[in-house]
Amino acid sequence: MSLAELICPAGTPAALRTAVDAGADAVYCGFQDATNARNFPGLNFTPDELAEAVVYAHAKDAKVLLALNTYPPAGKVDLWRQAADTGTRLGVDAFIVADMGVADYIARTHPQVRLHLSVQAAASSPEAIRYYCESFGVKRVVLPRILTIPEIRQIRREIPCEIETFIFGNHGLMVEGRCSLTNYLTGQSTNMDGICSPASEVDYARHDDGSMSSRLAGFTIDCFGADEMAGYPTICKGRYTAPHRPEAYYAFEEPVSLNLSRLLPQMIDAGIHAFKIEGRQRSKSYVRNVVSAFRAAVDDIRAGRTANIADLVALTEGQKQTQGAFETKKWR
Amino acid sequence: MSMMNHTAPAMRPLSGAVQRLACLAVQPILSRVVKRIAARHSSLFARLGPHQTTDYLIDPVELPFALHLRPDPQALLFRAVPRESLPLSGAAIRGPFLLLLELIDSEEDGDAAFFSRDLEISGDTEAVVRLRNALDDVDGSIAEETADLFGPVGRAILARLRRSYSDATKGNMYT
């Protein structure tokens, strides 16, 4: 049976303390800049805040993983290198990286710190994962959300590192780390600036009939009826019309969150080392509720008890949840 | 963690005179509350960044007035404003009073409240996101600190409000 570590999100120091207190084995977070994929306004950590967070987490036997999981634009690597230097000085337990240049710098400069390969690297084959392990000493891969549990079980036999998978939260496009939709409309890059649907470019308009439009950079990406649940203002979850589809439809995917609580026993049995909860942009309330629920579930399963997972649907996007590709390749 | 279903019924329109009277009555409390929070949680201003000077309109739909917040540490402004003469604002946040109270304390999740349509935002979305993140980084309960300002009476009122919220979410009274 795997260690089944619970890897939990924190967008602020208070959220990190909440996650640790709720039972996180490790908390992942980022600096207030483009080095991480949740570079949102008012979110993330200053170096001083991260220093205090590391002390807090370590005092309670929890690890801190620093996300450096964006791609530096060509020739502009200093920010990522400085972040790695700072993280090392502050004693973080691992870096989560996607870019080979960043991985190479850390492997050469800070070889004592663990490297985890971000989902943003989209490494989903044994060959790709082995390349990162052999070239940069990667100790853990966060798998893209496109694999079934039997496939993950098979990959585990063929790679020399640990496996981490998402179990809950926002469910993005499937070639992760390659999405350019935000860049297309706003000029800002999800993968290099760390910003998906920048808040400064988002606006909402309420209409007289109770419906609400969400727009990004002036383009309407959805209009929710008065009685409809809403989703994030991301292009991939929008509804559009087309000449052959006069009724607005989800051209990419629907607002929905991943929730693998029912599959946890199979995933632990498959030898997955760590389970990741998405949501650094979410509140302490979300962190407290989701982490507590999965902490109890993992503990129950490891103790041989049946897990009774709390209902988390109220926290899911559009109040809809899926097991995605983990359950079946027929998804999408 | 429990969301109401859609927005609470809006306040039945009161006369302008009654609205202004209500504003006058609560203003001393608001001034005291905002000074206390600013003094005890000064770090939240950093997360607001350039939006320290943004005018926020916070609109608890059941109350006879809305709240105007400008979180400028050099010139804090938090005042009740009659609905008949709302000021221009950079960002507006609208929802049931008890939900807003729970959001301030991170007892509820803002994204979930948005998904369920209980919470509406308009204007500058970045300003709203920054305010949310700033408040979410506050340890402890702003609502309880506010209640403490008024001793046992304040704490009793808060407990009553929270019971109301709990009953409302269980019974879906806002459906």
Side-chain angles (χ1 to χ4, degrees):
Chain A
M1 188 173 277
S2 73
L3 289 172
E5 284 182 23
L6 214 48
I7 315 298
C8 305
T12 63
L16 180 139
R17 292 189 288 272
T18 300
V20 170
D21 294 346
D25 293 302
V27 183
Y28 64 104
C29 49
F31 285 131
Q32 294 176 349
D33 57 35
T35 58
N36 75 96
R38 288 285 183 271
N39 181 21
F40 294 173
L43 203 69
N44 293 323
F45 291 64
T46 65
D48 287 345
E49 288 171 342
L50 186 62
E52 291 177 9
V54 169
V55 170
Y56 187 90
H58 286 178
K60 299 199 172 191
D61 290 329
K63 298 183 179 73
V64 176
L65 317 180
L66 184 62
L68 303 178
N69 58 345
T70 43
Y71 292 87
K76 297 180 180 174
V77 297
D78 287 353
L79 188 64
W80 282 257
R81 289 181 176 182
Q82 288 163 10
D85 296 343
T86 304
T88 302
R89 177 170 54 80
L90 299 179
V92 301
D93 297 279
F95 294 113
I96 306 169
V97 301
D99 179 75
M100 290 186 198
V102 175
D104 183 66
Y105 175 78
I106 294 170
R108 290 174 189 276
T109 314
H110 307 295
Q112 74 280 18
V113 186
R114 279 172 64 100
L115 273 181
H116 293 184
L117 189 63
S118 170
V119 71
Q120 290 289 98
S124 57
S125 68
E127 292 80 6
I129 297 165
R130 280 200 300 268
Y131 173 79
Y132 284 99
C133 294
E134 290 161 7
S135 302
F136 312 112
V138 162
K139 297 289 190 295
R140 177 182 294 176
V141 58
V142 185
L143 288 178
R145 289 159 271 198
I146 58 170
L147 300 162
T148 63
I149 294 174
E151 286 173 330
I152 294 171
R153 192 188 291 271
Q154 181 61 35
I155 286 174
R156 182 172 173 259
R157 294 191 189 105
E158 298 180 41
I159 62 172
C161 71
E162 300 168 355
I163 285 178
E164 180 174 311
T165 60
F166 280 89
I167 51 169
F168 190 87
N170 191 16
H171 205 207
L173 277 173
M174 291 300 97
V175 186
E176 300 188 71
R178 307 291 186 270
C179 178
S180 294
L181 292 175
T182 282
N183 196 313
Y184 180 68
L185 285 196
T186 71
Q188 297 187 70
S189 167
T190 303
N191 308 311
M192 291 189 284
D193 299 311
I195 304 168
C196 175
S197 286
S200 59
E201 301 278 0
V202 172
D203 70 270
Y204 301 101
R206 190 171 193 265
H207 306 295
D208 290 341
D209 63 357
S211 64
M212 177 187 71
S213 297
S214 57
R215 292 186 300 189
L216 181 67
F219 294 91
T220 300
I221 55 179
D222 211 333
C223 183
F224 303 98
D227 296 319
E228 267 191 304
M229 297 293 147
Y232 281 121
T234 54
I235 303 168
C236 60
K237 308 281 180 74
R239 279 180 289 195
Y240 307 95
T241 57
H244 67 295
R245 297 286 293 268
E247 295 293 319
Y249 76 112
Y250 293 107
F252 302 98
E253 57 184 317
E254 297 182 23
V256 64
S257 292
L258 187 72
N259 185 354
L260 301 184
S261 53
R262 284 175 45 216
L263 296 178
L264 263 184
Q266 291 169 251
M267 298 176 79
I268 291 175
D269 184 62
I272 295 170
H273 295 80
F275 299 113
K276 184 167 220 154
I277 295 166
E278 185 276 344
R280 283 195 285 137
Q281 76 283 10
R282 300 294 289 266
S283 66
K284 285 187 309 223
S285 169
Y286 168 95
V287 169
R288 183 168 50 244
N289 284 297
V290 178
V291 175
S292 300
F294 279 99
R295 176 76 277 157
V298 168
D299 288 349
D300 280 345
I301 294 165
R302 292 175 67 182
R305 298 186 293 267
T306 302
N308 183 18
I309 311 252
D311 182 7
L312 299 172
V313 73
L315 292 169
T316 57
E317 184 177 5
Q319 298 201 351
K320 287 188 283 188
Q321 50 194 356
T322 178
Q323 297 182 128
F326 291 84
E327 181 184 29
T328 171
K329 281 288 192 191
K330 290 179 182 172
W331 182 72
R332 297 181 75 233
Chain B
M1 176 201 60
S2 49
M3 280 296 129
M4 301 176 193
N5 263 353
H6 302 302
T7 50
M11 181 77 191
R12 196 167 47 195
L14 296 173
S15 75
V18 173
Q19 290 180 28
R20 286 192 293 278
L21 202 61
C23 292
L24 282 173
V26 299
Q27 191 54 55
I29 299 171
L30 297 177
S31 300
R32 205 171 154 198
V33 165
V34 76
K35 280 180 191 158
R36 163 110 163 189
I37 292 167
R40 294 185 64 154
H41 304 288
S42 56
S43 63
L44 66 78
F45 292 107
R47 290 194 182 273
L48 289 168
H51 290 288
Q52 292 179 353
T53 53
T54 292
D55 289 294
Y56 292 89
L57 187 70
I58 300 164
D59 185 359
V61 293
E62 317 94 317
L63 299 191
F65 50 81
L67 300 165
H68 174 200
L69 170 69
R70 190 186 304 139
D72 181 350
Q74 307 306 318
L76 267 177
L77 177 69
F78 192 40
R79 63 182 181 122
V81 287
R83 294 187 179 281
E84 61 171 11
S85 55
L86 296 175
L88 288 174
S89 61
I93 302 163
R94 185 173 191 265
F97 171 68
L98 295 175
L99 172 63
L100 295 174
L101 195 66
E102 294 294 276
L103 288 170
I104 286 170
D105 271 359
S106 281
E107 290 297 320
E108 291 285 7
D109 178 70
D111 289 13
F114 175 79
F115 298 150
S116 67
R117 308 286 296 279
D118 292 314
L119 185 72
E120 288 180 14
I121 64 175
S122 57
D124 189 329
T125 306
E126 177 175 321
V128 176
V129 171
R130 279 192 177 272
L131 180 63
R132 190 276 303 269
N133 289 334
L135 289 171
D136 205 60
D137 194 35
V138 170
D139 277 322
S141 163
I142 288 176
E144 285 172 16
E145 286 180 23
T146 303
D148 286 344
L149 281 171
F150 305 97
V153 175
R155 288 190 283 274
I157 291 171
L158 179 62
R160 174 88 184 263
L161 288 171
R162 285 184 163 160
R163 274 198 303 277
S164 299
Y165 181 78
S166 177
D167 293 345
T169 52
K170 279 179 196 158
N172 264 348
M173 69 176 284
Y174 295 114
T175 301

